[in-house]
Amino acid sequence: MRTFALVVLLCACGRAPAVVPAPQPVGPEAPAPAESLASTSTAFWSSRAGAPPVAFEEEVPPVEVDAGAVEEPQPAEPEPDAGSSPVSSLSRHTALGLPSSSIVGQPDGWLLVKPQYVAAYDTVHKVPRWVAWELTSAWLGTAPRGSSFRRDPQLPASAAQASDSDYTNSGYDRGHMCPSADRTATPADNAATFVLTNAVPQTHQNNAGPWEALEEESRTLAGLGNRLLIAAGPVYGASHVTIGSGVEVPVATWKVVVVLGEPAVTSATRVIAVIVPNTTSASGGWRGYRTTVDDVELQTGLDLMSEVDPAVQAVIEARVDAL
Ligand code: MN
Ligand code: MN
């Protein structure tokens, strides 16, 4: 049995990030991931109060969660398929639940909670296991695009992470997970996407092809008034290919876009899932790469939408988007 040190880094704008170490045993008798994460959520919300760059709190208030006692969300309406409103104990970006199995059980994993997104960084493979972010029109503005990636200052110096030079002349793009163009409300929001904890090596054909096309589609859907909850990350291969100082090159990149035209997630909620091969032959639009969330979960070992009613998950995770 290995002991996994779950460390939640809490970024408070303009101040040094608070580091809250919370070692968690991993094993059959270990507490469920949701419980361990819930125990850190109160501190997150209280430290974040007054600091967010975009004032969303009046729209989606934080939910108080007692440590060790995760309560089922109370349905707003009595209908059987009223769904559960996406609010989060940790961050608005992970409102549907953390893909929790990626945290517990991963050696040297770090959960980076930022105002702009949440990332689970894998210091062994030097890429995020997943990045999750909300997209609404409120995140979109006119801030200019950043020009260069830097190491993530939210990680302590002792934690291994990718360097910009790892990518130089590697043949791979520094592929944003949370896109630069999804964070243009303020310069600080945009700069937050240019850290290597938010990037994986992507072939240019993937990054500038189907991947970018779905990014643009997502912004279009946000512009139409939807709230999107997006998660993305790498698919690891059986044999590990690396660049630079050991930065994992994924065999594919996956993305799941939950399109909320109304607050609740129901069995009718549109969910777009894609897996794009990280090869030079990736081409065309994003629609040709659609699959199910179940397929993404199978290929990554994650449980996406983990806090959504299992009966609803069973429906929307098995359906391939056809719009
Ligand atoms: Mn990109
Ligand atoms: Mn799931």
Side-chain angles (χ1 to χ4, degrees):
M1 184 189 307
R2 90 191 328 153
T3 298
F4 170 66
L6 170 66
V7 180
V8 179
L9 296 181
L10 305 171
C11 179
C13 292
R15 287 176 283 146
V19 179
V20 184
Q24 300 292 334
V26 175
E29 74 282 18
E35 294 174 1
S36 62
L37 290 164
S39 69
T40 65
S41 62
T42 303
F44 168 70
W45 281 112
S46 60
S47 71
R48 187 172 180 268
V54 182
F56 285 103
E57 269 57 29
E58 65 280 6
E59 299 170 26
V60 184
V63 174
E64 296 295 333
V65 179
D66 293 335
V70 179
E71 297 178 7
E72 292 297 319
Q74 297 300 312
E77 300 176 36
E79 285 83 354
D81 194 22
S84 50
S85 293
V87 292
S88 173
S89 56
L90 179 71
S91 162
R92 62 188 313 102
H93 305 300
T94 53
L96 303 183
L98 291 171
S100 48
S101 64
S102 69
I103 302 295
V104 176
Q106 274 290 305
D108 303 312
W110 296 78
L111 186 65
L112 302 169
V113 180
K114 302 172 188 286
Q116 296 83 11
Y117 56 89
V118 177
Y121 192 65
D122 173 347
T123 58
V124 173
H125 301 97
K126 297 185 177 179
V127 291
R129 279 297 305 281
W130 52 263
V131 178
W133 67 102
E134 175 197 63
L135 180 61
T136 65
S137 59
W139 289 101
L140 304 176
T142 57
R145 179 184 171 87
S147 58
S148 62
F149 275 90
R150 59 199 164 88
R151 288 164 68 87
D152 191 331
Q154 202 173 349
L155 278 178
S158 59
Q161 64 169 304
S163 301
D164 194 62
S165 59
D166 289 329
Y167 286 78
T168 303
N169 298 321
S170 69
Y172 291 90
D173 287 1
R174 298 164 181 84
H176 278 93
M177 295 293 95
C178 179
S180 164
D182 280 13
R183 290 292 179 263
T184 52
T186 69
D189 283 354
N190 189 259
T193 70
F194 278 90
V195 287
L196 290 162
T197 48
N198 180 43
V200 308
Q202 264 185 323
T203 62
H204 186 69
Q205 290 83 357
N206 175 7
N207 183 28
W211 198 254
E212 185 173 320
L214 182 52
E215 291 175 345
E216 291 174 353
E217 177 78 9
S218 299
R219 287 188 290 274
T220 297
L221 291 168
L224 293 171
N226 297 290
R227 180 190 185 202
L228 276 57
L229 290 164
I230 308 174
V235 177
Y236 296 155
S239 61
H240 294 273
V241 175
T242 62
I243 59 172
S245 66
V247 180
E248 180 88 8
V249 178
V251 295
T253 51
W254 61 270
K255 175 176 283 186
V256 170
V257 182
V258 179
V259 184
L260 294 172
E262 53 189 23
V265 177
T266 73
S267 57
T269 296
R270 184 183 184 193
V271 178
I272 299 168
V274 298
I275 296 177
V276 183
N278 197 32
T279 66
T280 56
S281 60
S283 65
W286 56 272
R287 286 185 165 82
Y289 295 96
R290 284 180 290 193
T291 185
T292 62
V293 174
D294 284 338
D295 187 22
V296 173
E297 291 181 339
L298 187 67
Q299 296 203 33
T300 61
L302 306 177
D303 178 12
L304 299 163
M305 297 190 267
S306 57
E307 291 181 17
V308 171
D309 179 347
V312 173
Q313 284 188 63
V315 174
I316 62 180
E317 293 187 345
R319 188 166 58 211
V320 178
D321 176 67
L323 294 180

